[in-house]
Amino acid sequence: MSLRILLRDQPSRSIALLTDSHALIFRHSPSTAATQGNGPTIQAGAPRCMVEFSALDHVELADYRSLRTSSVHGTLGLINVRSDVFLCIISGAARVANVRPGETIQKILSAEFYCLNRADHDHEFYSEINLYPTDDVGADGFDHGHDGELREPAFEHPCLALKKLLSSGTFYYSVDFDITNRLQDRSSEESAFDIDRLDEDFLWNSYMIKPLIGFRSRLAAGDRDALDTSRILTSAIRGFVSTVTVPASTSPIKSLRTTMPSTLTLISRLSCRRAGTRFNARGIDDDGNVANFVETETVFWYPSGLCFSYAQIRGSVPLFWEQATGLLPGQQKIQVTRSPEATQPAFDKHFEDLEVNYGIVHVVNLLSESKPGEVELTQRYRYHLQHSPLNKNVHDAGGSDSRLLEESHFDFHAETKGPAGYEAASMIRRLIQHQADGFGYYMSEGAEEFRSAFPSEKTASQERSVVILQQEGVFRTNCLDCLDRTNLIQTIISQMAVESFLGHRGERASADFWMRHSSLWADNGDALSRIYAGTGALKSSFTRHGKMSLAGALADARKSATRLYINNFADRGRQNTMDLLLGRLMDQSPVHLYDPINDYVNSELSRRSNEYTSSKIVHFWVGTFNLNGRADGVNQDLSAWLCPELK
């Protein structure tokens, strides 16, 4: 849905987003002193805004003017940068996927940041970057002057790095359905912006949209429904999304006759919990989040209403480890930074969360058995898997024993070193075929539902989806970066799942179908690799064409060299921009929305805090006991140290 954006300069600066029936208006509110006492506090000087949502006939727009000649597509939220409040707007988008009828996905092509509290930044984007090079502007879009030297802009927009990040073509949104959840975890009748169902693990604008979600929750039911229907508030994921059309002549489904084409869609959702670049984000954190964690879903839809979905995940080795950058390929030293005892709690939390979300987890470890650093990671990985509470036999519904956590180790480099090359990667099938058959896949079929408001009226048919099967387990694949090797193996696993789906129906796919499937996965690997490592994926030539050519090998060498440069000299800036977007910088404060009732209650509670609070002095004692390697002193009395006299 297209929206208009308007600006009012006087008497107070306001920005309005307009649909055909409603307006969402943003106004900056000067900050007040911080709340004192024991009540909820707002940091002194923290940016505050007032937001209003009203029907158009209740809003006076005479003093507003258009801020853009073209329409916009929604807001990603509010952010505070250098004490200024900015409204983030999706200014350009293109449809890239059609998962099922009525379920489209848009790629964000460009985003703009408009300041709510002053007009100083309104024109800095346009003076800084010229999308249409002239005589003095180079092909890179920057002004080089008559002497050819790059001219520094007089001012840099505070959100320039954020704009570049959000306009990089790696962010996606949908106004039709919840894009943060896989098909199995959502129903076809949910609203486009159901905050109770959004998965914040994959919601990249969670920090910016959170104040507006809070505002939405305080609206009356009718206004809340109207705001949801307006599609102004947008939920964005990062990763890769694409749909390819499969003509009826090459569709693998032959038993259901139709002349309509089917669709094959790939959706990769990159987690924002431990987001970062290649050498700045490795391993796991104390909350069980791992770097480069991606959920990838393969969806096949047939015009009869038949729908197939299969999800798999990738993620960094779930240990506390790091790797230093370096200018020599393969020489970056791997260092494990925590003991097994200190690692196990975070490791267990990671896999317990996966078991809750996906069921049985089967680890596919592709690390080398000859490289010392990768060998150490594998040994530690295996140790923690063996000590995981999920690694125990449980009785399933059929009465047999199974484990909630299993592992297969496949040394990718060793297996593909022979004359068969990367084709030998298909040997992974024999290791995981049994588990793949047990996991199954998600499948639904269209069914007509007849409804009638009154018994005397004729019934009207409406198609709905009926779930036939559900996926009951997931493969968690990893190599060192979870990019090149991982993407090739995940392509094979996806093909195994589609083959199982077709085999149960007595169908087979053509070579043309598998070529489309491989191209999707090659594009997916390139997109995820650019986000994490700065270049397209290695081995993508084999993933795309089924063979490795000389041109593909030369392209891989070029990508490896480019990665070295980006990882050593550009990744720190990219990491800071991601942290800014996600609200993780130390000096960053969120935008607070003015809520008169809540603010009045908090101020009264603070003013009268003496009526319901009391204080007393509490002593805290902290000590460190260092044995210095001593074996004696077991009988030494430590009571004077442990229980000192308080003065």
Side-chain angles (χ1 to χ4, degrees):
M1 179 181 291
S2 297
L3 310 170
R4 290 185 296 152
I5 181 169
L6 307 181
L7 171 67
R8 185 183 70 180
D9 296 305
Q10 300 294 336
S12 61
R13 184 173 170 87
S14 303
I15 296 178
L17 291 174
L18 272 60
T19 67
D20 294 335
S21 58
H22 287 79
L24 185 64
I25 301 175
F26 300 85
R27 299 185 183 91
H28 179 257
S29 173
S31 299
T32 59
T35 304
Q36 301 296 322
N38 299 326
T41 62
I42 296 177
Q43 181 182 355
R48 304 184 71 191
C49 285
M50 293 183 290
V51 181
E52 174 189 353
F53 183 71
S54 302
L56 274 183
D57 52 7
H58 295 159
V59 179
E60 178 57 52
L61 298 174
D63 297 331
Y64 285 82
R65 59 181 174 85
S66 294
L67 195 53
R68 291 177 56 89
T69 56
S70 57
S71 59
V72 297
H73 305 278
T75 176
L76 293 173
L78 297 160
I79 192 168
N80 168 40
V81 181
R82 301 178 190 172
S83 300
D84 290 330
V85 183
F86 292 89
L87 175 66
C88 180
I89 298 296
I90 300 174
S91 54
R95 180 184 298 182
V96 293
N98 190 5
V99 183
R100 294 186 298 182
E103 293 184 352
T104 61
I105 299 177
Q106 320 291 323
K107 176 193 286 189
I108 298 176
L109 300 179
S110 60
E112 302 288 350
F113 288 82
Y114 295 103
C115 189
L116 289 180
N117 53 302
R118 55 190 178 129
D120 299 9
H121 306 296
D122 284 358
H123 304 290
E124 287 175 10
F125 272 127
Y126 308 105
S127 63
E128 209 170 310
I129 296 180
N130 185 350
L131 299 178
Y132 306 96
T134 60
D135 293 339
D136 294 340
V137 178
D140 55 4
F142 289 88
D143 187 359
H144 289 258
H146 293 289
D147 54 3
E149 294 185 1
L150 179 63
R151 290 180 178 177
E152 294 293 333
F155 300 97
E156 181 181 280
H157 195 289
C159 300
L160 178 61
L162 286 174
K163 172 184 165 66
K164 290 180 178 178
L165 176 64
L166 291 171
S167 305
S168 62
T170 60
F171 291 86
Y172 303 84
Y173 72 96
S174 175
V175 297
D176 301 321
F177 69 101
D178 176 11
I179 194 176
T180 65
N181 278 295
R182 58 177 174 153
L183 192 57
Q184 180 166 311
D185 294 335
R186 60 181 174 85
S187 69
S188 59
E189 295 161 2
E190 287 174 352
S191 65
F193 199 78
D194 185 351
I195 61 173
D196 297 325
R197 296 282 300 174
L198 290 177
D199 189 340
E200 291 195 11
D201 288 351
F202 303 114
L203 185 62
W204 272 74
N205 64 321
S206 175
Y207 176 75
M208 293 197 297
I209 204 69
K210 189 174 182 179
L212 298 181
I213 290 179
F215 165 78
R216 171 192 177 276
S217 67
R218 296 191 293 269
L219 291 175
D223 289 337
R224 186 164 57 247
D225 292 340
L227 180 59
D228 291 346
T229 305
S230 72
R231 309 294 197 260
I232 295 177
L233 304 184
T234 307
S235 55
I237 66 169
R238 193 179 192 195
F240 173 78
V241 178
S242 184
T243 292
V244 294
T245 301
V246 182
S249 58
T250 59
S251 175
I253 305 295
K254 302 296 184 183
S255 58
L256 304 174
R257 296 291 181 181
T258 180
T259 59
M260 300 292 292
S262 50
T263 59
L264 182 65
T265 303
L266 203 63
I267 305 174
S268 281
R269 304 173 180 92
L270 175 64
S271 173
C272 60
R273 294 298 189 188
R274 189 166 168 75
T277 54
R278 187 182 180 194
F279 289 103
N280 292 304
R282 291 290 205 191
I284 197 171
D285 63 17
D286 287 302
D287 295 321
N289 304 307
V290 296
N292 203 22
F293 182 84
V294 184
E295 175 190 88
T296 302
E297 181 181 15
T298 306
V299 182
F300 175 74
W301 178 83
Y302 192 73
S304 66
L306 178 66
C307 189
F308 158 89
S309 167
Y310 189 80
Q312 49 186 316
I313 55 178
R314 68 176 75 182
S316 186
V317 177
L319 308 173
F320 291 94
W321 63 283
E322 57 190 31
Q323 189 178 21
T325 57
L327 295 177
L328 294 177
Q331 298 300 314
Q332 298 92 348
K333 185 178 179 181
I334 295 171
Q335 181 179 3
V336 178
T337 58
R338 281 201 195 177
S339 65
E341 294 79 12
T343 300
Q344 195 69 47
F347 184 93
D348 291 342
K349 187 176 189 316
H350 173 70
F351 280 100
E352 286 167 2
D353 290 342
L354 294 185
E355 191 273 330
V356 170
N357 293 329
Y358 301 101
I360 299 173
V361 181
H362 190 99
V363 171
V364 179
N365 181 15
L366 306 177
L367 293 177
S368 171
E369 292 182 334
S370 58
K371 297 181 180 179
E374 296 191 19
V375 170
E376 182 184 7
L377 288 179
T378 295
Q379 291 173 346
R380 286 286 302 272
Y381 199 173
R382 189 165 294 149
Y383 170 87
H384 290 292
L385 287 170
Q386 292 171 351
H387 288 79
S388 171
L390 297 178
N391 191 20
K392 294 181 175 134
N393 288 331
V394 294
H395 294 284
D396 56 24
S400 59
D401 290 340
S402 62
R403 293 183 178 181
L404 296 176
L405 181 58
E406 300 176 318
E407 183 228 3
S408 293
H409 185 224
F410 184 79
D411 185 344
F412 183 92
H413 286 153
E415 297 290 347
T416 59
K417 197 174 183 179
Y422 293 142
E423 292 182 10
S426 61
M427 289 191 295
I428 189 70
R429 289 172 173 264
R430 59 181 173 82
L431 293 179
I432 63 174
Q433 185 65 61
H434 177 71
Q435 289 79 8
D437 293 340
F439 290 169
Y441 46 83
Y442 172 88
M443 185 178 73
S444 64
E445 292 185 350
E448 287 190 346
E449 185 179 52
F450 295 91
R451 295 179 179 177
S452 175
F454 302 98
S456 59
E457 292 183 353
K458 292 183 179 180
T459 59
S461 64
Q462 181 178 358
E463 186 171 292
R464 63 184 181 90
S465 294
V466 177
V467 177
I468 307 300
L469 293 172
Q470 288 198 330
Q471 186 176 340
E472 297 180 350
V474 70
F475 286 104
R476 185 200 188 279
T477 309
N478 72 271
C479 51
L480 193 64
D481 298 321
C482 302
L483 296 176
D484 315 316
R485 290 174 276 181
T486 295
N487 197 73
L488 201 158
I489 294 299
Q490 285 196 326
T491 304
I492 296 172
I493 295 175
S494 175
Q495 182 172 346
M496 291 172 63
V498 175
E499 287 174 348
S500 177
F501 160 68
L502 296 176
H504 292 159
R505 301 182 60 87
E507 310 272 9
R508 290 185 62 186
S510 63
D512 178 80
F513 176 85
W514 291 125
M515 184 60 68
R516 297 171 193 269
H517 176 270
S518 298
S519 295
L520 268 181
W521 273 95
D523 293 341
N524 175 70
D526 285 339
L528 296 179
S529 181
R530 289 190 189 98
I531 294 172
Y532 192 57
T535 72
L538 308 182
K539 309 173 182 65
S540 61
S541 175
F542 179 83
T543 305
R544 192 180 305 276
H545 304 295
K547 59 182 179 179
M548 196 65 182
S549 62
L550 176 60
L554 293 175
D556 283 356
R558 177 180 53 81
K559 291 174 185 177
S560 297
T562 305
R563 280 185 184 181
L564 286 176
Y565 173 81
I566 292 175
N567 298 157
N568 280 277
F569 303 108
D571 274 357
R572 179 60 63 183
R574 294 202 302 148
Q575 182 70 52
N576 289 339
T577 305
M578 274 188 266
D579 290 340
L580 176 62
L581 175 66
L582 298 171
R584 294 176 181 169
L585 297 182
M586 293 296 293
D587 58 347
Q588 201 170 354
S589 58
V591 176
H592 295 277
L593 296 187
Y594 176 68
D595 182 355
I597 297 178
N598 186 61
D599 289 352
Y600 173 75
V601 171
N602 286 337
S603 64
E604 285 299 299
L605 287 173
S606 177
R607 185 176 65 84
R608 302 174 60 178
S609 62
N610 292 332
E611 299 178 19
Y612 59 88
T613 61
S614 61
S615 62
K616 65 179 181 179
I617 297 176
V618 178
H619 295 277
F620 288 91
W621 179 90
V622 179
T624 300
F625 189 70
N626 191 345
L627 295 176
N628 290 322
R630 291 169 53 190
D632 57 342
V634 176
N635 299 320
Q636 185 176 351
D637 185 8
L638 300 178
S639 58
W641 179 67
L642 292 172
C643 304
E645 293 184 7
L646 299 178
K647 298 180 181 180

